[in-house]
């Protein structure tokens, strides 16, 4: 349906081609979260891989910082419609995490869990093969708390609610279990290029 | 599972200035599900060549009248969509929207109180929906709105809020006007004053711009509120 009187402001072509449907470019870095930014003490920080409730492997901050590091630069897309180009992150890929733990993924699905009790589901296949990392640096500096520091998941090919802030671990699940937003009507997978914002998209 | 959210046409039935920068649009909608106070809708505008722009707007009206919703849209500098709603949209126009959206920043009467609402600028919009619902459905729930705005004329729904403050025994309005000779931002002292007037809130909702929400939620945690009782929503995001 054409909206009477709306002409719009089209982004220039190179920008438009990098924007998934329904998104607009922002130069800011908006913050979205459910509540206050949690205070996280690095001396007590741990990152834990679990299968169900059973811990498989856990790292302290010092141990985590010693893992192999990877840099990634590219575009991120938030379901609230903003996209940000050329964001630069550094962290530990999920492949390197699994190798350091000496395990194969025990199930095809998992829930990322945050220190704020946030959860979000991601298929393991979307984290492996260099597609995702646990990031600890943004733009060359430690990630600010409002943006999920000290460590956040980074799954840039999915809407950014999948990139859980203040991540404390990954919990492998037998089936694809809905996380916080997925239980509240947001899409189980969340591919921005297919505009999978909500259930049924 | 949640039901799919489909786009539907809603007709603008009224469009009036709310403040010098904010326009109130009333839309007639047919909801697939009732909404909850605090939720938002997505709107989608389409140009003749098929180009589309989408934005999210919080609902200001009460869920007790779900057949119409009020959106209070602030004109942003250079705003592609807010400019359309400020200058072009008129009663009778059909707008595509879908919703209700959002299940975290919501209050309903069953949740009870006391209820602390903290707004920066047009962040008051979803909180208005909560206050209106409270007055109709749960007037016994104590509530306090701490509202930061630039000037008195920028206060959204000012007459209504002042009237509620005067008439509703369980509701207090605390305005913090940031500009002018006695301009003051919300600080730890203001938070302490609000908590002294209200008591310890069972639920706190904070909505505004990014730096505002960060600063306020930190102040609330420092004032002793459990983090899990505080919900935040930010615009520009």
């Amino acid at each position: 349906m054409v909206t009477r009187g709306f002409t719009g402001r089209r982004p220039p072509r190179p920008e438009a081609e990098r924007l998934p449907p329904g998104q607009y470019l922002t130069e800011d870095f908006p913050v979205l979260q459910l509540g206050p930014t949690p205070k996280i003490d690095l001396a007590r920080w741990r990152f834990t891989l679990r299968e169900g409730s059973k811990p498989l492997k856990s790292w302290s901050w010092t141990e985590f910082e010693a893992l192999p590091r990877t840099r990634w630069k590219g575009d991120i897309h938030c379901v609230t419609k903003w996209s940000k180009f050329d964001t630069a992150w550094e962290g530990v890929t999920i492949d390197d995490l699994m190798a350091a733990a000496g395990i194969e993924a025990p199930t095809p699905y998992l829930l990322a869990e945050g220190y704020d009790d946030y959860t979000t589901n991601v298929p393991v296949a979307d984290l492996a093969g260099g597609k995702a990392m646990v990031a600890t640096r943004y733009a060359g500096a430690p990630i600010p708390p409002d943006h999920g520091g000290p460590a956040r998941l980074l799954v840039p090919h999915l809407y950014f609610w999948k990139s859980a802030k203040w991540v404390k671990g990954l919990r492998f699940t037998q089936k694809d279990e809905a996380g916080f937003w997925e239980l509240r009507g947001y899409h189980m997978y969340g591919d921005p290029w297919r505009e999978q914002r909500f259930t049924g998209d | 599972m949640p039901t799919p959210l489909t786009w539907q046409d809603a007709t603008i039935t009224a469009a009036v200035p709310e403040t010098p920068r904010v326009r109130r649009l009333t839309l007639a909608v047919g909801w697939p599900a009732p909404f909850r106070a605090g939720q938002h809708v997505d709107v989608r505008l389409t140009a003749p060549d098929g180009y589309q722009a989408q934005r999210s707007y919080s609902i200001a009206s009460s869920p007790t009248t779900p057949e119409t919703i009020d959106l209070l849209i602030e004109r942003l500098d250079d705003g592609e969509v807010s400019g359309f709603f400020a200058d072009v949209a008129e009663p009778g126009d059909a707008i595509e929207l879908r919703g209700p959206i959002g299940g975290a920043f919501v209050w309903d009467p069953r949740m009870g109180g006391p209820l602390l609402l903290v707004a920066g600028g047009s962040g008051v919009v979803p909180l208005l929906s909560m206050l209106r619902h409270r007055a109709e459905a749960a007037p016994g729930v104590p509530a306090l709105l701490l509202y930061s705005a630039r000037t008195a004329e920028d206060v959204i729904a000012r007459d209504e809020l002042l009237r509620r403050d005067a008439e509703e025994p369980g509701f207090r309005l605390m305005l913090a006007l940031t500009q002018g000779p006695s301009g003051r931002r919300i600080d730890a002292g203001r938070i302490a004053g609000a908590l002294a007037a209200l008591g310890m809130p069972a639920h706190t909702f904070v909505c505004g711009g990014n730096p505002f929400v960060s600063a306020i939620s930190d102040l609330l945690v420092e004032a002793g509120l459990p983090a899990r009782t505080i919900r935040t929503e930010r615009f520009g995001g």
Side-chain angles (χ1 to χ4, degrees):
Chain A
M1 181 195 76
V2 172
T3 313
R4 185 196 66 82
F6 178 68
T7 50
R9 197 173 51 227
R10 288 151 195 74
R13 186 170 204 115
E15 181 181 317
E17 285 172 353
R18 285 170 73 177
L19 283 173
Q23 297 292 110
Y24 63 89
L25 180 63
T26 182
E27 301 296 328
D28 305 332
F29 195 164
V31 173
L32 282 106
Q33 56 199 47
L34 301 168
T37 298
K39 304 269 182 288
I40 298 169
D41 178 2
L42 285 183
R44 299 178 59 190
W45 182 92
R46 292 201 76 81
F47 187 87
T48 305
L49 300 176
R50 298 174 193 278
E51 181 179 2
S53 58
K54 182 182 72 172
L56 301 173
K57 175 71 183 175
S58 184
W59 293 269
S60 69
W61 180 256
T62 312
E63 292 162 348
F64 200 85
E65 286 280 89
L67 294 172
R69 307 186 65 75
T70 299
R71 288 181 182 172
W72 180 87
K73 188 176 182 184
D75 306 344
I76 56 175
H77 312 290
C78 178
V79 72
T80 64
K81 325 267 176 357
W82 57 266
S83 292
K84 185 172 176 63
F85 290 168
D86 300 318
T87 61
W89 302 87
E90 184 182 317
V92 182
T93 65
I94 306 304
D95 309 290
D96 285 336
L97 263 186
M98 300 301 288
I103 58 170
E104 301 276 327
T107 70
Y109 302 103
L110 57 74
L111 283 162
E113 301 179 308
Y115 274 95
D116 59 341
D117 294 328
Y118 179 78
T119 56
T120 187
N121 58 317
V122 190
V124 171
D126 283 84
L127 300 181
K131 290 201 283 289
M133 66 166 66
V134 175
T136 55
R137 298 178 76 77
Y138 172 72
I143 301 175
D146 272 359
H147 289 301
R152 75 176 298 162
L153 191 64
L154 177 70
V155 196
H157 66 286
L158 300 179
Y159 281 124
F160 218 48
W161 89 78
K162 297 289 185 179
S163 295
K165 290 179 170 186
W166 315 299
V167 71
K168 66 177 180 184
L170 304 175
R171 179 157 59 87
F172 292 95
T173 56
Q174 291 296 331
K175 55 186 179 57
D176 194 12
E177 287 183 24
F180 184 89
W181 282 120
E182 295 82 9
L183 282 169
R184 289 162 176 79
Y186 284 69
H187 200 275
M188 285 294 275
Y189 184 66
D191 179 354
W193 293 98
R194 288 185 279 167
E195 207 173 358
Q196 293 172 333
R197 299 181 194 275
F198 305 111
T199 305
D201 281 356
Chain B
M1 282 304 288
T3 46
L5 289 174
T6 51
W7 291 101
Q8 56 181 334
D9 287 353
T11 304
I12 300 176
T13 57
V16 295
E18 176 73 36
T19 74
R21 294 166 59 97
V22 176
R23 196 174 187 211
R24 181 171 78 240
L25 296 164
T26 303
L27 296 113
V29 295
W31 291 103
F35 73 90
R36 299 169 75 193
Q39 289 191 296
H40 65 272
V41 294
D42 280 5
V43 304
R44 181 168 74 179
L45 308 181
T46 304
D49 66 353
Y51 168 80
Q52 294 184 321
Q54 291 185 33
R55 296 292 186 277
S56 300
Y57 293 105
S58 293
I59 302 169
S61 46
S62 167
T64 52
T65 51
E67 60 280 2
T68 63
I69 57 167
D70 282 357
L71 304 181
L72 298 173
I73 299 182
E74 180 175 21
R75 172 203 274 280
L76 305 177
D77 297 338
D78 213 23
E80 180 187 21
V81 174
S82 65
F84 167 83
F85 281 114
D87 299 333
V88 180
E90 292 299 341
D93 286 347
I95 301 293
E96 267 189 306
L97 61 78
R98 63 176 180 168
I101 297 165
F105 196 85
V106 292
W107 178 82
D108 65 54
R110 286 171 306 176
M111 292 165 63
L115 190 57
L116 175 61
L117 308 175
V118 190
S122 60
V124 77
V125 173
L127 310 182
L128 280 176
S129 180
M130 296 180 189
L131 282 177
R132 290 165 172 169
H133 198 195
R134 172 202 158 275
E136 290 163 348
V141 169
L144 188 148
L145 172 64
L146 183 52
Y147 180 3
S148 175
R150 275 176 285 251
T151 68
E153 71 169 10
D154 290 310
V155 173
I156 291 170
R158 180 176 51 177
D159 292 349
E160 174 188 337
L161 290 172
L162 291 171
R163 178 181 53 76
R164 289 191 188 282
D165 182 57
E167 293 178 359
E168 294 177 10
F171 173 64
R172 271 289 294 279
L173 172 67
M174 295 176 75
L175 281 176
L177 302 178
T178 57
Q179 291 186 0
S182 56
R184 183 179 171 191
R185 295 188 178 280
I186 296 175
D187 53 19
R190 277 286 167 99
I191 298 279
L195 293 176
L198 180 69
M200 196 57 152
H203 306 284
T204 299
F205 294 89
V206 186
C207 187
N210 205 6
F212 177 85
V213 172
S214 290
I216 297 297
S217 50
D218 285 349
L219 286 172
L220 293 169
V221 170
E222 284 161 23
L225 270 64
R228 67 175 184 284
T229 67
I230 304 168
R231 293 289 182 175
T232 60
E233 187 141 288
R234 304 160 189 251
F235 46 73

